[in-house]
Structures are given as C-alpha cells and as structure tokens.
Amino acid sequence: MTKRLVLYILIGVAALAACKPRTPRQYIQPDEMEDILVDYHLGQAMAQVSNYEERDYNKTLYLAAVLEKHHVSRAEFDSSLVYYYTRADRFMTIYRHVADRLQKQAVALGATESEVNKFAQLSLGGDTANIWTLRDNALLIPIPPYNRIDFEAEVDTAFHQGDHFQFNFASDFLMQNGSRSAYAMICLKYDNDSVVSRSQNIMGGNLVQLRLEADPKLKIKRLWGYIYMDGGAERTNNLRLLFLNHLQLIRFHQQKHEDNKEDSSTSPDTARTVAQPDSSSRRDTVGRGMQILPLRPGAGGH
C-alpha cells in the first residue's frame, strides 16, 4: 500500500511538471532573464548617479554591457521582454525573484544609508518612522491588475494630530514607445470625514516625494494612497514597464522644544513646535542623482 501511494505521488508530480508552462526556445528562459534583469538594475543604478547630462547615455551603455555579458542581442532581449510582458503572471513571478536578489545583494555589499533610505530602520514608535509595510520595490505594467499598487496605513495611537507624512519612491521606465503615463497619490481622512490629498505625475528616472501635512486640530482617521500606471485600455503589445524602488511612507511627529528653564530671561510659555524635517520643504519635489538600489529588507511581503 505504501509503495502504491509513493507511485501515485510520483505520477502526480510528473503530471504537474508536464503541465508547467514552457518558454519557447527563441526567447530568453526565465532563469537567465532573472540574471539579466538583476544586472540591468545594477547597471541602471550606476548610470543614475552620473551627471544628469550623461545619464541617458550611460543607461544605454550599461544595458549594452549587460547584454554583452550574457551573450544576448538587444533584439533578443526586447522580444523576450514582450513575450513575458504578454504573460503578466509569469513576468511578475520573475520580477519578484529579481527584487529579492537585489535586496540580498544590497545587504551583502553593505548598502549605506542615504538621503533616500535614511528612515528605513527607524522604530515605529519614534518621532520619525517608516510605516511602509509592503515590499519596497515593485513592477507595474499597464495591464490590470498589475497596473496599480494600493496601500493603507493602520491608524493607531502612534498617530498624532499634526503629523507630517512623506511618500517616497524611485521610478524608472523601460518602454518601446508611448507616453510615460503614471501618477501617485497619498490621502488623509479626518474624524470629521473631510479628506486632503497630494498627487504627482511620474516621469521616471527620478525620486518622487509626496508630502502631506495633517491639520493639528483634527484627528487622523485614515491614511491611504496608490500608484497607478495608465494605458491598460490600449491592449497593445508595445513594451511599457515601470520599475519602483525604495518605496517608503515616512511619518514625522511634531516635536516640542522648550527653552532652558534656568535662563531667567526665558518665559515659561516660550515652547515652540517644530516640524521635522523643516516644513519649508512641504511642496512636492523630484530629486535627482539618487542611486537606485533596494533598501535593506524590513518590509512585509506583497
């Protein structure tokens, strides 16, 4: 009886293996595509930190070097990307593996804190914290449901009236033609059901920062947002990919600084409230010269 059960299991495994979708020979196989995409991202990261005038040239140069390393032509790379692009579920599986490998490489290389990732390891109970709980990197394609990322933060006692929030991420398009149509939004809802939001178009190749300051007189009820890539209705096979890295949602508490009480010239009521960082940076900005490498692991799965 035991031998028969083992035989049935082996037959079942063989049947599942036979049903597994195979990639035609003329296209790059999944394992090799993972290797190429990992090197592609590392090359684009190096190009990103070059001078703005040289950035596009260096991106093309590094891509050519990656393809030469893997003995793949640009035509083979493009046609294979289009093949996986039209099979979105398989492409997303490949990219999840790519993202995991990039994270491990960043840690192995001793990725240091920068202007982008400096909040990544902060405690959730501190005055400044990264409250992002999904993966810190993602791929969007204009095919539902893979053209959108939704997020919502759990509002608890750690949220204070007057908190500031900043949604950060790096974006990079890889496309054959068409418009770079994507945008991001972050929204706040108060206990009186009023809503405030901030949105920004995504151009690619830059750091996107959406900053939203809560009303100090109202209690926060809900915090949510999304990143959306347009063009899903076109149903075209033209390659349009949007890579996202360093996804972060930073919460800043307002801090009260009291003057030295021992100073006789200081009035007891001279305490002042200062937003961290300086509220002069409240407008939406697009930063340049950022190195696109994944953060250290610390976010939950998505």
Side-chain angles (χ1 to χ4, degrees), residues 32-199:
E32 187 178 3
M33 179 59 79
E34 284 183 27
D35 294 339
I36 293 174
L37 287 175
V38 167
D39 288 340
Y40 166 82
H41 277 291
L42 294 175
Q44 297 303 293
M46 290 186 289
Q48 189 67 25
V49 297
S50 56
N51 294 332
Y52 180 71
E53 296 78 10
E54 302 175 352
R55 193 170 301 163
D56 289 341
Y57 172 78
N58 286 339
K59 284 184 176 182
T60 302
L61 186 66
Y62 283 123
L63 174 57
V66 168
L67 297 181
E68 182 178 358
K69 171 185 174 181
H70 292 275
H71 308 289
V72 172
S73 69
R74 181 60 190 265
E76 290 172 326
F77 179 63
D78 289 346
S79 63
S80 298
L81 280 178
V82 171
Y83 170 80
Y84 289 111
Y85 179 78
T86 57
R87 292 155 180 81
D89 54 342
R90 296 186 65 190
F91 199 9
M92 289 302 173
T93 299
I94 290 174
Y95 193 72
R96 279 194 292 270
H97 296 164
V98 171
D100 290 341
R101 288 174 60 181
L102 286 170
Q103 284 187 330
K104 291 177 181 178
Q105 287 198 28
V107 174
L109 292 172
T112 58
E113 294 185 349
S114 66
E115 186 64 27
V116 179
N117 66 14
K118 65 182 179 180
F119 305 117
Q121 302 299 322
L122 295 179
S123 167
L124 291 178
D127 290 324
T128 304
N130 180 13
I131 58 175
W132 183 261
T133 58
L134 305 179
R135 297 183 71 100
D136 60 16
N137 44 55
L139 168 66
L140 293 185
I141 61 178
I143 301 175
Y146 308 109
N147 62 335
R148 180 172 175 136
I149 295 176
D150 290 274
F151 65 89
E152 182 162 356
E154 182 180 355
V155 177
D156 53 24
T157 55
F159 281 64
H160 301 164
Q161 294 176 199
D163 279 350
H164 296 181
F165 302 91
Q166 187 164 295
F167 184 31
N168 300 330
F169 60 90
S171 62
D172 187 30
F173 280 94
L174 177 61
M175 53 197 303
Q176 291 176 323
N177 54 50
S179 61
R180 297 185 176 188
S181 181
Y183 55 91
M185 177 174 283
I186 180 173
C187 309
L188 268 178
K189 187 174 185 179
Y190 298 113
D191 55 356
N192 65 356
D193 289 334
S194 61
V195 175
V196 293
S197 64
R198 185 65 59 87
S199 62

